[in-house]
């Protein structure tokens, strides 16, 4: 039932990002149609919108005007989408399918897919400028949060460590570090940035940040369990490293930790608690 309740945010985020790019189609004719098609293909091919959903639940929690957070949520989703397009490229994972559909480069070719990812990365920050320029202090803070989480110290660092782990075997601690950076940072910042945009008290911002860090790790552990169940398990999967039973126990422990941070919020959030359970039970 609560998932149906959240479906409106899934649709809103889709509409919001689509409108953003469609404006280029109608008003800025120098933007090539093929580029917009490639960008929108990946933005709108059945992603779960897990990160923007978290942002919008935070907006609900603080009873904020959705438009205060929606551009932030969309910017995070744009960064996430770019990372998937680039991750699928032949020079990275060389994947043919994503979400059960041909990957961006399989449809649009490698050069355009690369550039669609670049455009999404750049446009995410343009989105922040467009919607938060009237509050420059907030806007700059959001730019700092998103660039740090997705860049050199965040997601990209995690991706590089992940690549290096193809040649040098990792232990459990090293794998956790990779996932905290590669997957966890963007999930964490989706929550933290939304709390900042809503003007949450500092203690709440911190609690949501720590909740996000644990949830981000839990998200990746659940992903490893799902990959393993599908026979898609490499040496960097928690299941191959520590075993299935231990991975399930680790997921349980990290999920419980995420919930403890929610207890520290000024007001409880049932929906954020449910997102931990959603991750525990998700099948895709
Ligand atoms: C910039 C090349 C490059 C990589 C950055 C995030 C990342 C590193 C690569 C993406 C590939 C990947 C498998 C990352 C692990 C995180 C993860 C499980 C991503 C999938 O996220 P979901 O399940 O995706 O939220 P949907 O399809 O629902 O949008």
């Amino acid at each position: 039932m609560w998932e149906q309740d959240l479906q409106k945010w899934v649709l809103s985020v889709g509409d919001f990002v689509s409108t953003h790019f469609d404006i280029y189609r109608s008003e800025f004719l120098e933007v090539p149609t093929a580029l917009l098609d490639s960008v929108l293909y990946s933005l709108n091919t059945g992603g779960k919108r897990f990160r923007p959903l978290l942002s919008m639940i935070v907006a609900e929690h603080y009873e904020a005007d959705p438009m205060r957070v929606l551009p932030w949520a969309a910017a995070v989703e744009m960064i996430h989408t770019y990372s998937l397009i680039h991750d699928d490229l032949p020079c990275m994972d060389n994947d043919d399918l994503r979400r059960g559909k041909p990957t961006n480069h399989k449809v649009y070719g490698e050069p355009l897919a690369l550039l669609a990812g670049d455009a999404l990365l750049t446009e995410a920050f343009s989105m922040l400028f467009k919607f938060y320029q009237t509050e420059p202090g907030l806007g700059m803070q959001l730019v700092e949060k998103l660039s740090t989480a997705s860049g050199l110290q965040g997601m990209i660092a995690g991706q590089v460590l992940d690549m290096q782990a193809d040649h040098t075997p990792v232990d459990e601690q090293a794998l956790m570090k990779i996932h905290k950076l590669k997957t966890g940072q963007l999930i964490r910042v989706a929550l933290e940035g939304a709390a900042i945009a809503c003007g949450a008290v500092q203690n709440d911002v911190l609690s949501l940040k720590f909740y996000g860090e644990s949830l981000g790790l839990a998200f990746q552990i659940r992903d490893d369990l799902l990959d393993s169940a599908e026979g898609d398990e490499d040496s960097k999967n928690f299941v191959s490293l520590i075993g299935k039973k231990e991975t399930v126990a680790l997921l349980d422990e990290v999920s419980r930790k995420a919930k403890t941070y929610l207890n520290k919020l000024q007001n409880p959030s049932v929906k954020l608690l449910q997102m931990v359970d959603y991750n525990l039970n998700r099948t895709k």
Side-chain angles (χ1 to χ4, degrees):
M1 189 57 71
W2 69 278
E3 285 178 43
Q4 278 169 7
D5 180 36
L6 291 179
Q7 192 58 23
K8 67 172 184 285
W9 295 129
V10 172
L11 298 175
S12 301
V13 171
D15 285 350
F16 194 76
V17 289
S18 299
T19 304
H20 180 80
F21 287 99
D22 280 337
I23 289 172
Y24 283 107
R25 215 188 276 283
S26 53
E27 291 178 20
F28 299 91
L29 298 180
E30 70 273 20
V31 182
T33 301
L35 177 60
L36 292 171
D37 289 347
S38 169
V39 161
L40 285 166
Y41 175 76
S42 288
L43 271 174
N44 290 329
T45 36
K48 293 183 287 299
R49 312 278 196 218
F50 185 69
R51 297 151 193 79
L53 258 182
L54 290 169
S55 303
M56 297 317 294
I57 294 174
V58 170
E60 276 189 5
H61 180 71
Y62 292 105
E63 297 178 359
D65 176 350
M67 272 313 291
R68 240 191 123 64
V69 179
L70 205 46
W72 167 256
V76 172
E77 185 69 359
M78 283 152 72
I79 298 274
H80 165 64
T81 307
Y82 120 74
S83 79
L84 299 183
I85 297 175
H86 281 193
D87 193 61
D88 290 335
L89 286 172
C91 66
M92 292 280 173
D93 277 1
N94 194 18
D95 277 319
D96 293 350
L97 291 174
R98 158 97 32 208
R99 302 165 178 156
K101 302 209 172 73
T103 45
N104 196 297
H105 65 272
K106 283 283 153 193
V107 179
Y108 294 96
E110 200 179 330
L112 197 54
L114 177 79
L115 293 168
D118 291 343
L120 277 160
L121 166 59
T122 322
E123 210 54 26
F125 291 98
S126 194
M127 172 78 88
L128 295 183
F129 166 73
K130 186 172 168 188
F131 286 91
Y132 299 103
Q133 60 178 308
T134 54
E135 292 176 76
L138 171 62
M140 292 305 283
Q141 219 182 334
L142 294 179
V143 166
E144 192 271 324
K145 290 288 171 199
L146 191 56
S147 56
T148 308
S150 59
L152 212 59
Q153 306 171 58
M155 184 179 77
I156 299 292
Q159 177 72 1
V160 172
L161 292 176
D162 188 312
M163 280 159 45
Q164 290 172 343
D166 284 335
H167 311 288
T168 318
V170 283
D171 60 14
E172 188 183 341
Q173 286 311 313
L175 191 57
M176 284 224 216
K177 184 175 176 191
I178 291 172
H179 293 322
K180 279 181 182 172
L181 290 168
K182 183 177 151 178
T183 310
Q185 290 278 323
L186 208 53
I187 290 178
R188 183 267 303 163
V189 88
L191 290 144
E192 193 188 354
I196 291 169
C198 293
V201 294
Q202 186 58 17
N203 198 47
D204 271 19
V205 175
L206 277 179
S207 300
L208 288 171
K209 174 181 172 176
F210 294 139
Y211 160 79
E213 279 175 3
S214 293
L215 181 62
L217 182 58
F219 188 86
Q220 183 62 54
I221 300 170
R222 181 69 195 148
D223 231 56
D224 279 8
L225 281 163
L226 290 172
D227 283 348
S228 167
E230 282 175 16
D232 181 15
E233 178 188 319
D234 61 19
S235 62
K236 295 176 291 181
N237 187 307
F238 274 108
V239 178
S240 45
L241 203 63
I242 61 174
K244 183 171 175 203
K245 212 171 110 208
E246 290 75 9
T247 304
V248 171
L250 182 65
L251 175 59
D252 200 49
E253 183 194 321
V254 176
S255 301
R256 266 189 284 114
K257 194 169 164 197
K259 288 184 179 180
T260 62
Y261 290 117
L262 291 179
N263 294 334
K264 299 179 197 294
L265 289 175
Q266 271 187 344
N267 296 307
S269 168
V270 174
K271 282 183 184 165
L272 289 176
L273 268 180
Q274 287 169 328
M275 288 304 271
V276 181
D277 293 330
Y278 160 78
N279 178 60
L280 278 169
N281 299 313
R282 71 187 171 91
T283 53
K284 67 169 193 164

